[in-house]
Amino acid sequence: MKLGLLTACLPESHLSDIAHWAAGQGFQALEVAAWPSPDARNHIRADRFDTAESEQVRKIFAETGLALSSIAYYANNLHPSEGPQVNAHVRRCVEAAAELGGQSVGTFVGRDPGLSVRDNLRKAEDVFGPLVEHARRHGVEIVIENCPMKSWHPDGYPGNLAYSPELWEWLFGLGLKLNYDPSHLVPLGIDPVAAARPYMSHIAHVQAKDVEILPGQINRFSFYGPISGEKGWYRYRVPGRGQIAWTAIIDALQEGGYDGVVSVEHEDPVWSGSAEKVRTGLVIAHDTLRPLIPG
C-alpha cells in the first residue's frame, strides 16, 4: 500500500507545487483533481489534454517520484440536464489517465432527483455501459466513491446511488469498481470494516477521510439531518481527528489483499480556510496513517 492525497483541497495551488510539497512530507502518491474549467480543481486539464499538458504532468511525477493513483472528477453522471457533459468529461479523464499510465478515474454515479431509485438504476445502466467499455478499451477502471451526496437531492435524500453494499453489488455488475471511503458509512449506521470485507476484490482505490459525530445533534435533526440550513449532526475530519478506527481499516485492507493507494481526502472544516491550514491538516492525516501502512 501507498499513502497519497487528493489534490482537490488545494485548488489555488499548481500541481507541481502540491507534488513537491507532498513528496517532501512523505506522501507517495497523488489522486489528481481534473474538473473542467472554470472549476479551479483542475490540476490535470483533461478538457484540453494535449502533448504539452501530458509532458508537463509526466515531468512533475518523474521529478517527485510520486505515483498517480487516480484522476478525480466527482460529478453527477445522471443529472437531468448536465449529465451528457459530465459523461463526456469522464471519457476525457479516462483518455488522460491512459496516456499518463494511471489506473483509474474516480467519479460518482449521481442521481436524477425527478426519478425513482429504480428508474435511476435503469438510467445508470444505459449511461455507464458505454463509459465502462470506453475505460476498458483504454486499460483504465472507473471507480465510484460511496458518498451519499445528500446535497444533490432537494429533500436531502442520497444523491449518489452508491452509498450501501447493496448498491455496490449493482455497481460491480456493471463493471465498475469501488473507491472505498469509510467516513460515509459511519453516519449511515454501517460498520465500515464489516461492510468492506466481502468486497475487497472490488476495491480499486481507497479514500481516507474521518468523521466526527457531534454530541446530541441527532436528537434535534434525526438521522435525516436538518432542513433549516443549520449544521448537521456530523462533520468530516482529517484522519486522526474523528472516530474511525484506522488501525482496523488498514488491517482489514491488508488482510483482504488490497495493495493500492490510500488517498487522504481533506474536507475538514477545522483545518480549512487557507492553504497553510489545509497543509497542516494533511500532515496530521499523514502522521496518523503512515505508521499503520506496511512498507
Side-chain angles (χ1 to χ4, degrees):
M1 269 185 273
K2 290 184 171 68
L3 181 61
L5 64 90
L6 172 57
T7 67
C9 60
L10 292 165
E12 303 305 323
S13 298
H14 190 274
L15 178 60
S16 178
D17 296 331
I18 298 172
H20 282 88
W21 177 86
Q25 295 297 320
F27 287 97
Q28 301 160 294
L30 292 182
E31 178 186 4
V32 183
W35 274 255
S37 297
D39 196 307
R41 296 170 296 174
N42 56 4
H43 294 121
I44 287 178
R45 294 300 306 273
D47 51 353
R48 61 175 196 193
F49 194 78
D50 54 17
T51 301
E53 179 76 2
S54 176
E55 290 177 351
Q56 175 179 266
V57 174
R58 286 177 179 274
K59 180 181 178 183
I60 292 168
F61 279 91
E63 289 175 347
T64 59
L66 296 173
L68 171 62
S69 70
S70 188
I71 291 181
Y73 172 51
Y74 290 92
N76 188 348
N77 278 278
L78 302 185
H79 193 281
S81 61
E82 299 172 9
Q85 292 94 328
V86 173
N87 308 155
H89 192 70
V90 170
R91 287 174 172 267
R92 290 190 287 269
C93 289
V94 165
E95 293 158 9
E99 174 70 20
L100 294 168
Q103 299 178 350
S104 68
V105 169
T107 191
F108 288 137
V109 172
R111 179 177 185 166
D112 181 339
L115 298 178
S116 69
V117 171
R118 291 190 181 277
D119 286 344
N120 266 284
L121 298 184
R122 283 191 284 268
K123 179 179 178 179
E125 290 170 3
D126 292 336
V127 168
F128 278 94
L131 290 178
V132 169
E133 179 58 30
H134 183 69
R136 184 178 293 117
R137 288 198 302 268
H138 285 81
V140 173
E141 291 184 310
I142 296 177
V143 297
I144 303 295
E145 183 187 350
N146 54 288
C147 178
M149 292 304 294
K150 294 188 294 182
S151 63
W152 280 358
H153 194 284
D155 294 320
Y157 301 145
N160 174 40
L161 297 178
Y163 53 87
S164 68
E166 179 185 22
L167 286 164
W168 299 352
E169 293 174 359
W170 165 77
L171 293 174
F172 304 149
L174 298 181
L176 296 161
K177 294 288 188 175
L178 183 64
N179 189 1
Y180 167 67
D181 184 336
S183 70
H184 300 304
L185 297 170
V186 174
L188 294 175
I190 298 173
D191 180 335
V193 174
R197 283 193 187 279
Y199 305 108
M200 286 294 174
S201 64
H202 298 282
I203 296 175
H205 198 264
V206 172
Q207 286 183 333
K209 186 165 73 265
D210 218 322
V211 63
E212 177 186 10
I213 306 301
L214 302 174
Q217 293 302 299
I218 196 170
N219 295 330
R220 170 169 170 76
F221 299 123
S222 86
F223 170 86
Y224 297 102
I227 62 172
S228 58
E230 297 179 62
K231 294 180 180 179
W233 54 274
Y234 63 91
R235 62 179 181 175
Y236 296 122
R237 303 299 309 273
V238 292
R241 293 294 190 269
Q243 61 188 68
I244 289 178
W246 288 104
T247 299
I249 296 288
I250 299 299
D251 190 55
L253 290 168
Q254 176 72 17
E255 185 179 359
Y258 180 75
D259 61 358
V261 171
V262 177
S263 179
V264 176
E265 184 185 19
H266 186 326
E267 293 183 352
D268 189 327
V270 176
W271 296 104
S272 295
S274 70
E276 181 180 4
K277 290 183 71 174
V278 168
R279 289 191 177 97
T280 300
L282 291 169
V283 170
I284 293 170
H286 174 277
D287 292 349
T288 298
L289 296 174
R290 190 67 193 90
L292 305 178
I293 295 178

